Amino acid sequence: MAASPRGFVLRNTHLRPVPGLEEVRLHLADEVLPLWHAVQVETGDPDAALPYWAFAWAGGLAIGRYLRDHPEVVADRRVFDLAAGSGLCAIAALSAGASEAAGADVDPFAAAAMGLNAYANGERVAVVRRDVLDDAAPDVDVILAGDCWYDARLAERVLPWLHRARDRGIDVLVGDPGRRYLPTRDLVELAVYDVRTTTELEDLDLKQGRVYALGPV
Ligand SMILES: C[S@@+](CC[C@H](N)C(=O)[O-])C[C@H]1O[C@@H](n2cnc3c(N)ncnc32)[C@H](O)[C@@H]1O
């Protein structure tokens, strides 16, 4: 593991406004492969995870836009950002008036990025640096799940966890650009946004990001 994930994030990213959500600034990278290589060298792990945390993903961008348009969804409420990456959804929720926000991610670099990104936006995100998907639902009002459906195994575990949360009365918002494992049958579409991403990550740099509620609403 890196001596200082925080230092690594700072050295390998630039703080800049998020396209389409300029009021939020994140520590972002331009190119994925050189950064992934740097992560592998830094950790000594050839199987190190992709640096998801250094990009604002289409699903998270859609949630951020939705919260800007509908701040009442999170205003004065406690928010949990699942698979938070950069912490984009948590930070957007705080900007929209959430009373508190936590972000969970298994990647230690994501944990560092979240802390730095929250600080850069004058916010505080409680960082949960572990896998929560076998735990009971957190004690919150809203769960945000931005771009979680890119991997079959993760998708299999996320859906029942979100359902358990929904059954406990927690509102669940999903943001996604139509990834392979998106469980559309369980979701109610709320909004669609054109979101600017990058061909470093996607086939096109302009994607449609959709926001859904986990049903029933
Ligand atoms: C595509 S990124 C999305 C990041 C952010 N939500 C966004 O929309 O920009 C997916 C994130 O899920 C995280 N992740 C993968 N498995 C996880 C798990 N079991 N629990 C929490 N986070 C996980 C990855 O580390 C990665 O940061």
Side-chain angles (χ1 to χ4, degrees):
M1 175 40 52
S4 161
R6 196 171 172 276
F8 181 86
V9 171
L10 287 171
R11 283 195 305 282
N12 287 282
T13 59
H14 297 285
L15 183 61
R16 61 169 77 121
V18 174
L21 211 59
E22 277 75 13
E23 64 277 23
V24 175
R25 295 191 312 150
L26 296 177
H27 292 271
L28 298 173
D30 292 316
E31 296 180 296
V32 68
L33 290 180
L35 179 53
W36 192 17
H37 179 66
V39 169
Q40 290 164 331
V41 170
E42 183 80 2
T43 57
D45 179 3
D47 298 323
L50 274 175
Y52 296 100
W53 47 269
F55 298 88
W57 290 79
L61 288 168
I63 287 182
R65 296 273 293 279
Y66 185 77
L67 296 182
R68 185 169 67 188
D69 289 351
H70 301 278
E72 69 282 0
V73 171
V74 288
D76 299 321
R77 305 184 80 196
R78 299 162 303 161
V79 170
F80 192 90
D81 180 1
L82 177 70
S86 64
L88 168 60
C89 295
I91 293 167
L94 290 164
S95 305
S99 57
E100 57 189 71
D105 203 291
V106 289
D107 185 332
F109 291 106
M114 248 186 274
L116 288 165
N117 287 329
Y119 181 77
N121 289 278
E123 305 285 6
R124 191 180 164 279
V125 172
V127 175
V128 180
R129 194 190 126 180
R130 64 189 172 82
D131 188 329
V132 297
L133 296 175
D134 294 322
D135 297 357
D139 186 18
V140 299
D141 304 302
V142 185
I143 293 177
L144 306 173
D147 232 308
C148 291
W149 311 98
Y150 57 94
D151 175 84
R153 180 71 192 113
L154 180 59
E156 255 173 36
R157 298 181 64 223
V158 167
L159 187 61
W161 188 80
L162 291 179
H163 271 300
R164 287 200 299 279
R166 185 74 195 88
D167 291 347
R168 285 193 42 193
I170 299 170
D171 291 340
V172 175
L173 285 187
V174 165
D176 196 88
R179 305 245 183 256
R180 181 163 179 186
Y181 304 105
L182 183 69
T184 41
R185 275 181 312 178
D186 296 55
L187 302 173
V188 179
E189 186 175 317
L190 301 176
V192 55
Y193 296 94
D194 288 333
V195 292
R196 188 156 295 285
T197 165
T198 162
T199 52
E200 285 289 308
L201 308 174
E202 312 282 0
D203 54 343
L204 300 170
D205 61 6
L206 199 63
K207 301 288 283 184
Q208 287 204 315
R210 291 187 152 73
V211 178
Y212 305 87
L214 186 69
V217 282

